[in-house]
Every structure is written in C-alpha cells, then in structure tokens.
Amino acid sequence: MLPGERAGALRRKRGKPAVAGGIGAVVFGSDQGLVGQFNDVVADYAVKALAALPGKPRVWAVGERVHARLADAGVPPMGLFAVPNSVKAITLS
C-alpha cells in the first residue's frame, strides 16, 4: 500500500477527514548547556526544514533551551515537554 492509499484507508476507517496542509513536528533539544551549540543547530535546522514545507507548522519542543531558540526564530512551539533527567525517567509511563 502506498503512503497516500494508507492515509485514505485511515480516513475511511476513522470516519473523519484528514487535516489538509497540517505539519506537525517534535523538536528534541536539551535542558543543560553541556552540549555546546547543539540546541542552536537543531533549532536552525528545524526552522529551515519547516519553512520548506507547505502549511503552518505545529511544533512541540522537548527541552527548554530548544524551546527558547525556536521561539526566538519566529516558530513558537505549541508546547514544551521536559527532558528526562535520568535513565529511569525515560522508562516511566
């Protein structure tokens, strides 16, 4: 099944039309400054990649620093997810 056919099948199964032109992205960054310019590079890439796509992006950020970088770049995230602060926190549900 091709991607377009799959989307059509999902729309029929759920009984709702898909939102046309909706772009969603989750941008992963960090909360600590121990990774150099990581958040700047990630945010710059996300802004450029999203600008090349049609429609207004809906962006969620993982990490306070990348959240701030995206907002400064004119792509204010719709939400902020905390970065896990331990390996144990990654697996909590």
Side-chain angles (χ1 to χ4, degrees):
M1 182 178 289
L2 297 174
E5 293 170 337
R6 182 171 184 216
L10 289 174
R11 279 193 300 267
R12 286 188 295 278
K13 184 176 181 180
R14 293 181 186 151
K16 299 181 205 175
V19 176
I23 300 294
V26 178
V27 181
F28 288 83
S30 74
D31 279 344
Q32 299 187 13
L34 303 175
V35 290
Q37 297 178 340
F38 176 76
N39 292 296
D40 295 327
V41 172
V42 168
D44 288 344
Y45 179 83
V47 169
K48 289 175 186 172
L50 292 168
L53 299 172
K56 182 179 178 187
R58 293 179 300 208
V59 179
W60 290 265
V62 179
E64 291 181 20
R65 290 181 181 247
V66 79
H67 182 277
R69 302 302 189 283
L70 290 167
D72 290 345
V75 182
M78 296 182 72
L80 169 64
F81 295 102
V83 174
N85 57 6
S86 70
V87 173
K88 189 173 184 177
I90 294 170
T91 59
L92 292 177
S93 53

